[in-house]
Every structure is written in C-alpha cells, then in structure tokens.
C-alpha cells in the first residue's frame, strides 16, 4: 500500500520479541502488532532501534518484516529500517525488506565509515534511485555519530530523494527548521516530518510535526494516540498532561544499573519487561550481547507501570 | 592452516580492488595478493577498514575471502574481518568467512548500538565460543566510537577468548600496556599484539609489538618488510629512516579536498590510486558513497610515489 | 535587588560592544541596555556566551557589570556570568561581580579539568556556600563538554544550592524533566527554569518554562517579549508565528564562511553586525581571536534584518 | 635566562602542593623543586595540568611562579603555563607570569569558546606578538577539545611564532610529523618538540623528540632522567626497561574509585599522595572541587611506590 504523503500520527517502532534462545518470537510479535493496531496507531515501523535491528541477523530481519506484513495485510502502512554501514549494504536490505512487503524504507547516514555531507547526500540519492518504495531519513546521532543537517534534508526532499524524516536527534530547533522548510519550500509538498522523541511529542506536534515514532508507544500506545488526538483538537493543556504522564513512565529506561550494563540494555530491557508484565509478549529477553535486567530491576519497571495506571 | 602464536611481522590489510561498476575485481585482487606475498609479508588480513569491508555486501565479502584463500593456498595465514554491529550479526560473518577459508577472524566491539565494557566482554566471549578459529580484537575508536581497555583485552587473553589484538587506536601508551601485559601475565602466552598504525611501526616493534597491520603496506609492502627486518636486527637507526620515508609517503592520504569529501574517501582513494599507478590493480575506483579523487588529486598521489622512489 | 523566585519572562544575554581596539564600548553598552529595557524585557544577563565572557579580561568583566548596574539602577534584576574552569577561580569571579552589583550569578560545571558528577555537585555546593547572591546553573555542553543531569539539578535545587537553571543544551526532553520536577518536587518552590534556545521559546514556555535567555533577543527583543506575552495569554498560534519569524532571523548566525572562521565567530559577528546596522552599537567588532565577518557577510546580515522587518 | 633552543631533556610539570585549607604550601613547593633539581632535570614547567593550573586563582598562580623563580634563581629555565580560554585572558597571564620571572610561556588553543584552525593560528600569533618570552604550544585535546594540527604547528614554528610544542595528545604519529618537520623544514631550527606522555618517553626520544614533560616525573624524577640519559647513549634496551618500570608505577593514577570521582581527581590525588608518602610535601590535598582519595586508595599508592623501589 502507498505511504500517505505526509504520513501523520503515531508510528510505533515495533519491538522484536525474542524467545529464550534469541529467536524471533513470532506469536508474541503478532500479539504486539495487535496491541498497537487496536490502540489506533497510524502505521508501524519495524527494524528500527527499538526493534533491536542492530542485533538481528538478516534472516531474523526478513522474518520480522514478513510476519508483520502478513498479519497486518493492508490495514496500515509498514515502514522498515535498512540499518547498515554504507550504500551497498543498505541496498541489499532495501531489496530484502521490500520483497518482504515494506511500504517504505528508513535509512541512516553511513556509519562506522568516516563520512562527509557530500557522501551522505550521495548515499541517499543512490538508495532512493534503487528503491521501489519511498525512502525516509533516520537521524540518530547517538548511534550514527553524525547529525543530519536540516538544509541537506530539505534539499533532498525538494529533489524527491527523501519522502520523510524520522528525527531522533533530540534537537528540536533543527527539527523545527525541517518542519518549517517542508511547509514553505517549493517542491517539498507531502514530506513527512516525524519526531523520534518520547518526551516532547506534544511540542513537536505543536510546532507542526506530522507525527511521532516513540519507542515507548510499544508500552503505552493509547497514551500517544491520545496526545496526537488532543493536539489535533488544539487541546494543548490536556495533551501536555498526557505527555507528562508518559514522561514519568519513560523513567523506566533508567532502571538498569549503569555499573553493570549500558543505557541501551537498560532501555530496551525495560520496554520488553513492561510488555511482558502487561501480558503482551511471552519473554522479556533482549538480544546478545545486551545484559539482562535483574529481578529487582524488572520489579521497578512494574512500579512505573502501576504508577501510570497500566497494570 | 593454524595461525602462529604469536603472529609476527607484516600483515597487510589487503585493499579490495573494484571494477568500474563496483564489483570485486578478482584478477586485480589476485595480482595484489602476489604483490604482497612477493614482498615477503607474513600473513594477510582481508575485510578490514583498508579493504573497505564496511562498503562490501555479504556476497562480495565471501568472494574476497574465497578468492584470496584459493590463490594463497597454505602459503600464508589468512585473517578475515567480521565487521558488524553486534554479536548475532558478527557470528553470521564468522560462519561465512571460516567456511570460505579464513584462519582467524578479527572483530570490533559492538558499534551503532550503545554499549558498555561488560557488554563488550560478553560480545567477545560469545564470538569466541562459537568460532572454530582464533579471534582477534580490532580496536578502532574512530569507527567504533569506544576504545578497548588494555585491562579488558588482557583479561580476555588470559581466559583464552582472544588470540590477539589489532590496535588502530593511535594510543601507543595503551598499546604498550597490552604488549607488556601479554609478556608478563600468567596464561597469556602466544597472544599477538599488532599495531595498525602506518606511522610508528618502528616504535611499536621497539617496545615489543609482535607485528604490524599498516594500510600503506598495500602500496609499499617492501618498505614495511624492511622495517620489520631492521627492527629484529636491532638496527634502530635504519629502521627509523625507513619509517620516516614511509611517513612521508603516507602524506598521500591527505590529497583529497576536505571540502568535497571525507578523510576516508581521500585515504582509500589515495591507496587505490597508488596501486593503480604502480600497475598492481586495473581500476582505482572506491565503493559507494565515497567521493572519487579528481585527476589532479591522483597526480599528487603520483608525486608521493615518485618522491618515495616507487614509480 | 532580590531576584524574583521564580524569575520569569525574557532575560537577554547582553552582548558586549567593543571599540575598534577591543576595549569595552561603554556608551554603546548603555545604548544596548536601553534598547533592551525599552522593549520590555524582564531582567538582564551579562557575561554569558553572547557577551563573549570567555574573551573578556577580568578588568573588562568588572567594567561590564559595573556599567550595566549603574545604568540599570534597580529597574531590573541583573544576573552575571562567573565563567571559569573550576571552583576557586569561579569564586573569585563571584566576589568580583557581586561587588560590582550583580543580583545573581550564573555558573557552569567545571571545564578544561576532567570532571565527574560528584565533582560537579561539590562545585555548585561550594560556590553557593560562598556566594552572597543566588546561584544559577548554566548548562552549555557545546562549551563545557559535559551535560548537567536533570536529577542532579533538581537535587541541588531541593537543597537550596541552585536558584535556577539556564539550559542551552538544546535537549528539550531533559529540560522538561527539570521543569516538571521543579513544579512537583517538595522543596523546589521558586526555582527558575530558563531556556537558552532562540528557536523553541514558544515550546519551552508551553511545557512550563519560566522564561528564556535567547542571544537573538539582543537583535530583536520586541519579538521575544511578544512571544512571552502571547504564550502567557495562551495564544499559541500567534506565538508560533512570531517564533517562526525569529527562527528565520536566526539564520543570520550562519553568514560566516565556515572555511574561514568558526561558528562562534559567525554567530557573534552576526549579532553585533545586526546591532550595528540597527544603530544600537557603534562598532561591530568581536573579541580576539575571532575572525571578523567580511563586508559581503555583513550585507547578508542586513538582508536577514530587512526580511524580518527590522531595518 | 634564555630558554635553550631547542630545550632538551626532562622538564617536570611541577605539582602545586597545597595546605589543608587549599592555599599554596610554599615550603613544600620549595622542597619539591629541590627534589626535582637534585634529580638532574633540565628545566621546570609550572602552571600546567599537573600543577592544577585550572584550579588555581590568579593570585595563587603568581605566587607559584614567583616562589619557584626565586628559589631556582638562574639554575634552570622556568616555563609557565598561561592556561585560559582566549587570547585577551591568556595575554593577562603572559604579563603576570613573565613579571614573576617565567622564561617561556606555554599556551593551549582557545577552549570553551567554539574555535577554528584560522582562529587558533590567530591566537598564537597575537600571543607571541605581545609576549616578551618564547611561546610554546600545549596540545591537550582531552581538556581543550581540539587537536593541534602538525602542519599548523610547523607553519607557526617557521614563522617564529612558536618556540616549541608540548604534546600531550597521545598521538605519536602526529607528534612524529612535528619532530620530522622541525628537523627538515627551512626556518624551523631550534624548535623544541616535547612529549607530555608518561608512557612512551623512550619511543618519543627514539624518534627524535627533544625532551619530555611527564607528570609522573614529580614522583620519580630520577627514573625519567635515567631514560633520557640512556636514550642519548643509544642504550635502548635499558631505556625500555626503565620506561616499563615507570609505566607500572604510573598505574597509580587509577587508584581512585571511578564511581566516586573523575580520572583527574584520581591521577592528581595519586601524584600528591606519592609525594606525601615519599616525604617531599607536607599534605596531599588537591584543589576543589576534586574528590580526595580515601585512606585505602592512598595505601594502594604506597604499594605502587614500594613495587617501584621508591619507599
């Protein structure tokens, strides 16, 4: 199905449930998709950071896209990450995920390789030229170690290279430049500007963003759907209250002991523990070499859920 | 063939010649292997940074290992990079390159994913547990964005997890800690400590390194073989003179205009231009999305070769 | 005069006009203060980044505070930066600026010295213990190279160490955590949470910030005063339009050629060129070793002013 | 007294002993100077990082230079750091330390302020133009957050702006470029290239460095003097053995618990504890806001001293 232009609303970056031996847990993945669709989200994004895409083998990635596509049918648009180091490797993923049914692909700038703005532009132009579906840029400096420049994004949008941006940079000022540019610049009609932040979705929508891709929407999709609806109704006060409730819930990402594990292990472990505690998935395990949460840390996730009224 | 323990001498990280349409240029790759073997190097390392591993598809990676293994036979040990983001993906590469004949694998810490020392240790333990050949650690902070800690490396060496280290961190103090520790610590016999620097191979050997993996050895393998021999003979003065000649030659990595391309494009472009000008490979092209050197920049590479007596 | 608790509204970080031989241009500084006061701002902040505090000698810093205090009298509260590397040096500045009349001091975490959260906390506790006026924390990771943690700020607020925060980190999610915590946590009443961003003042006020400290308010104080008023009236739509006009104006910070100067030279040069072109200051020169804007670059600043209706 | 051109040998960056109430402990400072001079060092460097210059007030800095100069008389050259953010502030320190008797000044690139290679060059040109004594560049990326480019250093050397370099970057390849350039480039005669590393002084001297400025030379000046002498005699093997002994001793910098303090507190605390345990200074306290070592951590410093034969 064609991706709306622009794509609006809540687009959860779907977690990838795993079995205890770290294979994709297909029944749990289907239950998670139902959990999200039933909450009224607008599209799904698989194989992003919240999906542990960096930890999934190519076979697992294909299985995820195929499973979600088959279960979703044409009900909602399906975006898929094509996370890899450089153009030739990304193009292999583009072929793979579009064959499995992705309606759009989401690509970062090159990483690991030393890069340059001219090479980033060249990368997106090549990916778009060989992709049969629209290409979204994924700005994630914490992983990619460069920041996508607003001007570059708008130039690639105007040239029809990029169909949208998922901005997880945390820099709302640069995000605004893309939002405003996408509205005012000739040739950029229909470009989708999506925030990847969990914490300022109301702010992003207020300044004109099309939608949001918050990892925490796995845990509480209803909350983000409510924010989106309240913002569209112009009820900023209640949107803010809902956002503040979700900010408190987001505190769960810090349950893991930083002496024992990285912030990624803690955050993804917390999301999966929450999905497990809410009965959505069968096993909270994360991919290797992430360190699992302790029993006490999982209990603290439960307290966050209880406080947010989710248990 | 078993990797010597320790592996000593010059181990060029073999460039990957490409055709104009960016496929692996097998005849050029074979000529390059001959060029290196004939110069008297001690082993070969494929699929590292100088090989543009980050830019090669999985099929191209397999073709590179298979080609070099078939041509090399058992004449020299063959190490192969397994560069990918996390453990499950690295393990797929381990299976692939060992099937194609690699005698050892070379793995970085996780990247793209946020990480932690405990997760890096877990990563190497899992990789080693499932690899049929020895595992070398690859310390390349400019790409991986974390630095391998000397103490962690020595601990993994003592536990039999790591067989060696390729250190491209540029931090000779930390490197020395591994060299000294590998000599003095119980249970670390046979551990290989290799510098990835082009510029201080004489210094590294003088302080006890086992060998070197310099990208510039593609261009002038004889020079690095001479340094290694002079150092082993204790002729430090002539080793230093040879090293200084190679430092001057290494200046070629800066020929590319930094307004137009990144430092990676410039350095890899210069190595390949030099191999092309020396008649070793048929085409100097680098992988996408790297920016090619201009004609004038290639001419400047030629001047570096001429000054070093290589044209 | 006592600083309001919380301090609200627009608090321009006052530029420091210089003479052609780089001395403080006292008459221009007084004119700039009038320009800001007449626009209806709520307080003034001298010796911050927009003031080129890092470039001013101690004598010049004293002259700036003394001049502004004398001219301002008790009309508005006066905050002064005490920017230096560590506690003992900061304490010297605290003594100096309070003697010259500052009503509050604004201090960063230690920089240049390698630091640690425990040392940052100790730093603020010592500064507050020896300051006769309230202490604001200044979060400016681009200069200080560490980020102030929201939890640490709230803890220091609850303990009466900090009276407020000027957040120039660009991280609106972390900013929101302080805003919300300052409202809900026991013992933190009256804490001032101010954004240092030029680009998302409407967003910051919408989520509950007390005020803003935008460098661009030197150039267009009326614009920021309008945003503040519109936000307080709940007229978010017109606040956003005004903010978007100011975002476009802010584009002036990029007029400087990045091949010839740093982003600081460009931004501070543009602010001062704008003040010069608007007739507020007599000379647009910036402190050494910043590179001056070219004539053409100054002309481009003029075009930004014209587009914004300020010429 | 004029600084030798080049300055050679061991130049300890002198620690600044403090009293329990954090004033300069003048008698201990004099004893420390004697300890260093008696060991046969070649010059002294005050107000560098090992001196806690970032933590000293201007009055304390003046007292340090004056005390050391008065005690030293003309026996050895005295270099003094002029560590501050930008040119105007550095120039104030230049005036102050030369008035107090410094024979040369040591300046970093601008920090805190965002900078640019053109601004760094401008900075050094202005400092040199207004300094009555030779100017050394101090390359310390861990504090300054930019790296001095070898080419820029050599250009400033050839123009007579810089008299030498203290390189604490840890990048021996870049250091070698300066060493070699200083020997071969026209107009750079007499330029001093000094390593700031504790761990590779033998390597640096072997590749042609003029001398070393190791913080650990406070604790064991005799060791570094021995390395220097052995290297000049070409006895590389014994130099390496001595260096390895000092590398083991340097392990003391890690005694501090990283959960409780930063690496600076740990390293400077260890140096001062060692000087205290060796009877050179009266009190091991470091400046605020550094966290002091615990009793157990000080004991571990003692063990390092014992192992190195220094107790």
């Amino acid at each position: 199905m064609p991706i709306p232009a622009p794509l609006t609303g809540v687009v959860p970056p779907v977690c990838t449930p795993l079995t205890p031996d770290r294979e994709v847990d297909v029944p749990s993945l289907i239950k998670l998709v139902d959990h999200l669709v039933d909450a009224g989200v607008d599209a799904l994004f698989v194989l992003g950071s919240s999906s542990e895409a960096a930890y999934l083998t190519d076979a697992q990635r294909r299985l995820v896209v195929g499973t979600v596509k088959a279960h979703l049918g044409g009900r909602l648009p399906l975006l898929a990450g094509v996370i890899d180091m450089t153009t030739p490797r990304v193009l292999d993923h583009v072929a793979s995920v579009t064959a499995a049914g992705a309606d759009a692909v989401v690509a970062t700038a090159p990483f690991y390789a030393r890069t340059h703005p001219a090479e980033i532009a060249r990368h997106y132009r090549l990916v778009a030229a060989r992709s049969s579906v629209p290409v979204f840029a994924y700005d994630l400096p914490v992983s990619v170690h460069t920041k996508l420049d607003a001007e570059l994004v708008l130039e690639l949008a105007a040239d029809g290279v990029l169909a949208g941006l998922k901005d997880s940079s945390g820099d709302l000022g640069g995000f605004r430049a893309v939002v405003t540019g996408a509205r005012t610049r000739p040739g950029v009609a229909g470009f989708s500007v999506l925030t990847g932040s969990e914490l300022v979705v109301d702010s992003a929508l207020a300044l004109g963003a099309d939608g949001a891709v918050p990892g925490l929407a796995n845990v509480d999709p209803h909350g983000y759907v409510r924010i989106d609806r309240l913002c569209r109704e112009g009820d900023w006060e209640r949107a803010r209250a809902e956002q503040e409730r979700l900010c408190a819930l987001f505190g769960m990402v810090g349950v893991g002991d930083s002496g024992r594990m990285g912030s990624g292990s803690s955050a993804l472990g917390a999301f999966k523990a929450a999905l497990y505690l809410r009965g959505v998935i069968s096993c909270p395990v994360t991919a290797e070499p992430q360190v699992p949460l302790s029993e006490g840390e999982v209990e603290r996730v439960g307290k966050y859920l209880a406080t947010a009224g989710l248990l």
Side-chain angles (χ1 to χ4, degrees), chain A:
Chain A
M1 70 182 299
I3 286 278
L7 176 63
T8 60
V10 179
V11 185
V14 187
C15 284
T16 307
L18 299 177
T19 64
D21 54 350
R22 266 85 178 183
E23 291 305 327
V24 176
D25 176 350
V26 170
S28 286
L29 179 56
I30 288 172
K31 260 186 91 176
L32 175 54
V33 168
D34 286 339
H35 166 68
L36 299 171
V37 172
D38 293 352
V41 305
D42 298 278
L44 294 181
F45 169 39
V46 295
L47 305 185
S49 300
S50 298
S51 320
E52 297 172 88
Y55 300 89
L56 301 180
T57 64
D58 287 353
Q60 291 175 326
R61 291 186 180 197
R62 276 192 299 272
L63 178 56
V64 166
V65 182
T67 300
V68 175
K69 183 66 183 186
H71 186 65
L72 204 55
R75 286 181 291 165
L76 289 182
L78 177 60
L79 295 83
V82 288
I83 309 304
D84 217 316
M85 295 170 249
T86 61
T87 318
R89 295 184 63 80
V90 167
L91 285 172
D92 273 5
H93 293 292
V94 169
S96 173
V97 302
T98 51
D103 301 309
V105 294
V106 185
T108 68
F111 55 90
Y112 186 87
R114 287 172 290 172
T115 191
H116 184 277
E119 296 166 12
I120 294 172
R122 193 175 172 109
H123 172 68
Y124 280 119
R125 289 182 188 281
L126 286 163
V127 170
R130 303 197 199 163
S131 172
S132 59
V133 298
V135 177
F136 283 62
Y138 192 172
D139 192 18
L140 186 66
V142 73
S143 291
V144 175
H145 299 281
T146 54
K147 167 94 185 75
L148 288 181
D149 178 67
E151 194 49 43
L152 176 62
V153 169
L154 289 168
E155 193 181 300
L156 293 172
D159 289 357
V161 170
L162 292 178
L165 169 71
K166 186 206 163 185
D167 181 330
S168 298
S169 71
D171 169 14
L172 200 66
F175 182 74
R176 177 168 229 155
V178 179
V179 167
T180 311
R183 200 182 61 226
T184 57
R185 196 169 296 206
V188 195
F191 187 77
S192 310
V193 194
L194 310 172
T195 177
S197 169
E198 274 90 356
L199 302 172
V200 291
V201 170
D202 59 338
S203 308
L205 293 174
L207 60 74
D210 296 299
V213 190
L216 187 64
N218 282 279
V219 177
D220 190 2
H222 298 85
Y224 284 102
V225 168
R226 270 194 296 272
I227 290 183
D228 181 56
R229 183 175 44 75
L230 290 165
C231 287
R232 288 182 201 287
E233 294 167 357
D235 189 346
W236 305 110
E237 207 164 326
R238 288 176 63 210
R240 172 178 155 187
E242 185 68 23
Q243 176 68 76
E244 289 180 359
R245 188 186 60 82
L246 288 163
C247 288
L249 179 64
F250 189 68
M252 72 167 62
V253 301
V255 296
D257 172 6
S258 67
R260 209 165 52 80
M261 70 184 74
S263 56
S265 289
S266 178
L268 291 169
F271 286 173
K272 285 187 150 181
L275 286 170
Y276 173 73
L277 294 170
R278 295 201 73 192
V280 180
I281 68 175
S282 301
C283 169
V285 78
T286 52
E288 295 286 6
Q290 291 172 94
V291 172
L293 297 183
S294 69
E295 215 170 298
E297 289 162 349
V298 170
E299 266 172 44
R300 289 185 55 208
V301 172
K303 284 183 190 156
Y304 277 100
L305 291 175
T307 302
L310 297 176
L311 269 194

